[in-house]
Amino acid sequence: MAITGQGTSAGSDAAGAAAPPPQDLVNCTINGVAVSVPKGTRIIEAAEAAGIGIPYYCYHPGLSAPAMCRMCLVEIEGAPKLQPACVTVVGEGQSILTESAKARAAREGNLEFYLLNHPLDCPICDKAGECKLQDYTHAEGRKHGRVVEPKRVLNQDDFGGDVLYEGDRCIMCTRCVRFMREIAGNDALCVVQRGNRSVIDTFFDEGLDGDLWAGNIIDICPVGALLSKDFLHKARAWDLDRSPSICPNCSQGCNVYVDSRDNLIMRLRPRPNPEVNSYWMCEEGRLEYEWYNRANVPTGTIGMADTIGGGPNPTGRCERPMVRDAQGRLQAATWHDAVVALVQRLGGLRGENGVLAVASPAHANEDVALLHRLAQVLGGGDAVFRVRTAPSEVVCPGFPKLARRRELAANGRGLRAVGFRRVGDDAGAGGLDELTTAGKIILVLGDALADVPETFGADAALFVYLGSEPGPAVRNADFILPVTNFVEQEGTFTNFEGRVQRFWPALEPPPLARPAWQVLGVVLAGLDDGPAPADAASAFLRAAELYEAFGGLSYEVIGGRGALLNEPVQLGAGAAEGA
Amino acid sequence: MAYPFRHEKETRILSEYFGDPEARTLDGWKKRGGYQALRKAIEMGRDAVIEEVKASGLRGRGGAGFPTGVKWSFMPKEKTGPSYLLVNSDESEPGAFKDRELIRWTPHQLIEGALIGAYAIQADHVYIYVRGEFFEPAQVVARAIEEAYQNGLAGKNILGTGIDIDVTLHLGAGAYICGEETALMNSLEGRRGQPRVKPPFPAVSGAFGRPTTINNVETLCAVPHIINKGAAWYRGFGTEKSPGTKLFNVSGHVVRRGNYEFPLGFPMHELLYDVCGGIRDGRKLKAVIPGGSSVPILAAEECDINLDYESVIAAGSMLGTASVIVMDDRTCMVKQVRRMVEFYAHESCGQCTPCREGTAWVAKIMRRIEAGLGTEADLEKLVDLSTNMTGTTICVLSDSCAAPVMSSLKKFKDDYLGHIHHGACPVAAAAVA
């Protein structure tokens, strides 16, 4: 929405862009600040755009506004009553006051009503610290309560799925009811009873079990009435580190926050992006985070002793570079020694029998682009990936752009964009048997090769494994290079529709793990193929230079909301001719 | 069957056939001049009907007193799809019982008025929303609708004019709030009976998201008479700004409670002491609620007023539904107000926080005061809460709860102080003495 303060020039407009047509703008003042907004804008949106906060509970930008919490009442000069900012459309010439004595008194009075039956059990409430009732009461509530009457007491209710309901804390904003009706398309919740006996409930025993979208009601609950069983009493809100990231569990690429404490993921929450997931995410993405939450290896262990010749270690990580010595034993090496030895071996084999590159679709565009490049530099060959695939797509009824996609990994599209092809079955296994490995250089990135026979790669000229977890893949590997997983590094994923989206590091990697793009960049530099990129942004630029699909993109262009492959912003006429 | 009581001063237009079972039937109603107005209205044309009703100055009898003709003229002139006329017969205001009598005795009067209204605003469908507890009146209306269909007065091609207007009876499920027009629409649609945010107003988007007009039973019952006899005739009754006659439904401590029809502007003193036979048992008047429980209470000394919309507002209350609740000097105002507040707490739909929490809290405080456990600080608290509950919600239910609290605290503070200081009801104590 183009909203500009009056008197400031259109500084945000890019050079050459035409100013918006003036006839559709409405002018008003909010707390004396002149604001111009498109016709039909609601006061709450206009105020937010002008940087003026109006408290609210029932309003949510992704849902309908019932105007029932009465927190956003504002004074419009000349109007006899206070008006709810969430539904009142800005009128020409209006003077809107959010901090007038009348508006403040109404909020203070309203907050007192909210606390009447609220248990004030913040010390044991998961929402404490990010609770709107706490925030607004601290800001504007009465200093002393006047209630001497006993409070109404309700019990905890298990709504099914991941959701618990604490009726006593509920402020009846009905966001959850509206979400289930309008977005999840499943009228599973309703208000029963009326007056202050009102309570949110499910229909008899039919709860939220099996609803793919129900977890979002926990996020949008402004108080601690709806709780996640998964997150229950796991962490206090103020102890959490929040990192913007991308959900890796399907090719939709929902924008998320990874909330972590002590280097462990505590929960995931959706991060708004109107192009991808609106304000929502699905349960499969939200709850399946343990597989990339494995930074808890005790320090000092090599982390793979019991994997060599043994089964996979579910909590172990590749901790340090390992190189197979002349006696066929894996020996720990410094990064310097490992990379020098690798470059030497690769240099000798370059161009001889070709390459088999296997990449995991959980690795970033930067990683897979440089892996593909390395394969090409070494003489080219097969570049493949395997990915788990669900039988069907599950579309979000109220926001059809969002779906749990069939491909259950983040970066299949990115892999295809740089030249990998998919092999194997829908379980993400198989497909490697028909590819010959004899005499080849095998480069494996991230794929633990859980299903391959014991002899896989034994006949290869060289077997390099870059991964964060040791698995059967390492049995015959000559080099094991510990790399970070996506949640420990900066990078980008390309989602199903070709939207390249950035993610940021949320967890500390094991001390010696390095991003794969960094390792591959150094190896490429050792093979005289360009300078090694110093950071993820340069690695991406390198990928954009090498692969047409990423042409024209950069971290600046991608920004916070992503950009489509081969669809860089149009800088002006003629810019598109390079294609 | 004679209607319970009639007074010679009454001007009976709407209530003329109360107590006359024959008037309930279509034949009986036709014998009494029924359905001539409908024919005449269709001959006059839609715009002329609206103009006539506008000229008559008829004001909505559901409580707000909004001019009916003006309301009708809000409906879109260009018809783009279905539109509706809703008849609000969810009469649930404590003290009100006028619509019940109208639909019980003269269902065809209502149906005729509704058909004229529907014709004027081009509505295809009339929904008569009858309070769920009105079981017998609903049966009467259902029978009358059936008769109207059988005789070509409703449904397809009414009176052979080619106009189609359906009439449907809908029973409420027992919620006071469903008398609020937008809550009624939600209830009619099968949703929770909760008032909607306005705008959009019903004339733009009402029942089923279509243009809708909603009128009170008594309003529509007056329409056939206006069409038959003309706006000038109707203006011959009542005052300049409040023309016409009105049913006054009097309850409480008078000798003869009941429904009485008078021109607006009728003196309250005459109503209570002449028509209703005075305060029962020879007691003294203490207070009157002139328009149903939602309006401010008038003390006895404020009751020398005329009963029209403007005069009652000038006295600090509202005419509302003209449901006059009379209280004599043995009435404890604390108990009365507590009872009313409990009603509102029970009936709050629970949408808006000030109402959901406020009504229940005020009820708890009132119960405490009545039990003799209150303090003077509670009275300040009540004023404060009532202020916070006024003008801060979607509908006016919480305002209605606050109004009797505020007015009784202002006018009958001694009753409260008696409870607070003596731990017992001062009125009851006085009655024993």
Side-chain angles (χ1 to χ4, degrees), chain B residues 174-190:
Chain B
Y176 168 71
I177 194 61
C178 290
E180 198 278 342
E181 55 183 22
T182 54
L184 187 151
M185 289 169 196
N186 274 344
S187 168
L188 182 70
E189 292 176 16

Side-chain angles (χ1 to χ4, degrees), chain B residues 12 43 56 65 67 100 117 151-152 178 220 290 294 309-310 314 319 388 402:
Chain B
R12 292 198 294 271
E43 282 162 15
S56 76
R100 184 189 70 200
N151 289 278
C178 290
L220 290 171
S294 325
Y309 294 101
E310 286 70 32
L319 186 62
N388 290 341

Side-chain angles (χ1 to χ4, degrees), chain B residues 7-28:
Chain B
H7 197 271
E8 72 271 7
K9 282 187 182 168
E10 276 187 89
T11 308
R12 292 198 294 271
I13 297 171
L14 272 55
S15 61
E16 191 177 351
Y17 302 108
F18 279 11
D20 179 354
E22 206 190 61
R24 288 172 164 179
T25 64
L26 182 61
D27 287 342

Side-chain angles (χ1 to χ4, degrees), chain B residues 230-382:
Chain B
W233 164 82
Y234 194 70
R235 279 201 171 272
F237 304 100
T239 68
E240 170 65 26
K241 286 184 173 163
S242 304
T245 61
K246 173 93 191 71
L247 290 178
F248 291 89
N249 29 151
V250 187
S251 61
H253 303 155
V254 286
V255 174
R256 288 187 296 269
R257 299 168 285 276
N259 263 302
Y260 302 100
E261 185 171 1
F262 291 106
L264 282 157
F266 193 76
M268 169 132 51
H269 192 269
E270 211 174 324
L271 177 70
L272 299 188
Y273 291 97
D274 185 357
V275 176
C276 297
I279 310 303
R280 69 169 188 200
D281 303 338
R283 306 294 309 189
K284 266 177 63 196
L285 180 67
K286 180 167 183 174
V288 172
I289 306 177
S293 68
S294 325
V295 307
I297 303 169
L298 293 177
E301 57 273 19
E302 296 171 303
C303 285
D304 196 13
I305 54 171
N306 290 340
L307 291 165
D308 57 78
Y309 294 101
E310 286 70 32
S311 305
V312 184
I313 286 174
S317 186
M318 282 182 289
L319 186 62
T321 51
S323 306
V324 182
I325 304 172
V326 183
M327 290 173 259
D328 71 14
D329 56 356
R330 282 178 301 191
T331 312
C332 171
M333 294 313 288
V334 176
K335 183 181 171 188
Q336 278 313 309
V337 172
R338 189 265 301 158
R339 187 66 197 81
M340 278 189 240
V341 167
E342 279 184 341
F343 171 80
Y344 288 109
H346 185 257
E347 295 294 340
S348 165
C349 80
Q351 251 192 129
C352 304
T353 308
C355 177
R356 179 183 68 238
E357 303 292 345
T359 53
W361 191 11
V362 170
K364 283 179 183 170
I365 296 172
M366 290 297 301
R367 278 199 284 272
R368 193 152 47 77
I369 293 174
E370 194 192 353
L373 300 168
T375 62
E376 285 197 44
D378 283 328
L379 302 186
E380 283 165 41
K381 208 193 298 184
L382 280 177

